Amino acid sequence: IRYYYAAKLSAGVDDIDLNLQDFMQRVNSDLVGKFVNLASRCAGFINKKFDGLLAEELHAPALFRELVDAGDEIAELFEHLNYSQAVRQIMHLADKANQYIDHHKPWALAKEANQAYNVQAICSQGLNFFRIIAIYLKPILPETAEKIESFLNIEPMTWESRQLPLLNHKISAFKPLMQRITEEQIE
């Protein structure tokens, strides 16, 4: 619910209605479909094929830097109480991260001989993207952030910690961080 309200809040004085269908769609699409799905897609490969160990270097350092640099604008939006715009920016980054994974198709590479290095690098990159997005969402989703810190086996995330990627680092087994909201739950 915190995410839903943040996605609606601007710096202006506006009424906000709780539309349960919109709430369900936002949570299922943004948080489960874009954000958590990014981790679940990548963690499975890292845990099964690489004993939970992330790659030693980034596969796409320029894109990593782009996501890191976006944090300055997102922080400014938070500071100016423009939460809805901050959430839009964060979800735009989640879209970019998922497009990266879709483009490189680690599930297809995993079936090819001699592609283990690339699978590990691509999935490690995806988990680094996930971590950056988690840092940006931490002010809105602090309890989820704690679960992510446990999963990634890291100290509490800070805004500054986004600067350095997790490399040659062992993560824990992935456990679902959230579930889709169903019509039955809404009822």
Side-chain angles (χ1 to χ4, degrees), residues 48-131:
K48 288 177 195 158
K49 297 194 174 286
F50 307 101
D51 196 30
L53 189 64
L54 298 177
E56 293 183 8
E57 60 187 6
L58 289 173
H59 188 255
L63 188 54
F64 175 84
R65 179 56 38 205
E66 185 180 332
L67 266 71
V68 166
D69 291 346
D72 295 335
E73 182 181 352
I74 292 166
E76 192 170 312
L77 291 167
F78 276 135
E79 289 293 323
H80 290 97
L81 309 179
N82 197 343
Y83 302 109
S84 62
Q85 187 62 33
V87 166
R88 275 196 293 280
Q89 291 287 346
I90 295 165
M91 283 304 116
H92 175 70
L93 297 177
D95 286 335
K96 278 190 173 198
N98 279 293
Q99 288 165 2
Y100 166 85
I101 297 299
D102 289 342
H103 175 75
H104 290 287
K105 298 176 179 42
W107 55 88
L109 290 176
K111 296 175 185 172
E112 297 179 24
N114 303 320
Q115 288 296 323
Y117 173 84
N118 285 326
V119 171
Q120 185 184 29
I122 292 163
C123 291
S124 295
Q125 183 86 40
L127 287 171
N128 272 283
F129 291 156
F130 171 75
R131 181 172 133 303

Side-chain angles (χ1 to χ4, degrees), residues 3-4 7-8 19-34 91 180-183 186:
Y3 177 81
Y4 179 75
K8 297 285 186 185
N19 177 319
L20 292 175
Q21 288 300 315
D22 186 37
F23 167 72
M24 181 177 71
Q25 190 275 330
R26 273 188 193 270
V27 169
N28 291 346
S29 172
D30 292 359
L31 294 180
V32 178
K34 293 179 184 180
M91 283 304 116
R180 289 188 177 279
I181 296 173
T182 64
E183 288 283 347
I186 294 293

Side-chain angles (χ1 to χ4, degrees), residues 137-151:
L137 288 172
K138 187 174 180 176
I140 301 168
L141 302 171
E143 290 176 17
T144 303
E146 287 179 12
K147 292 178 189 174
I148 292 167
E149 291 159 353
S150 177
F151 154 59

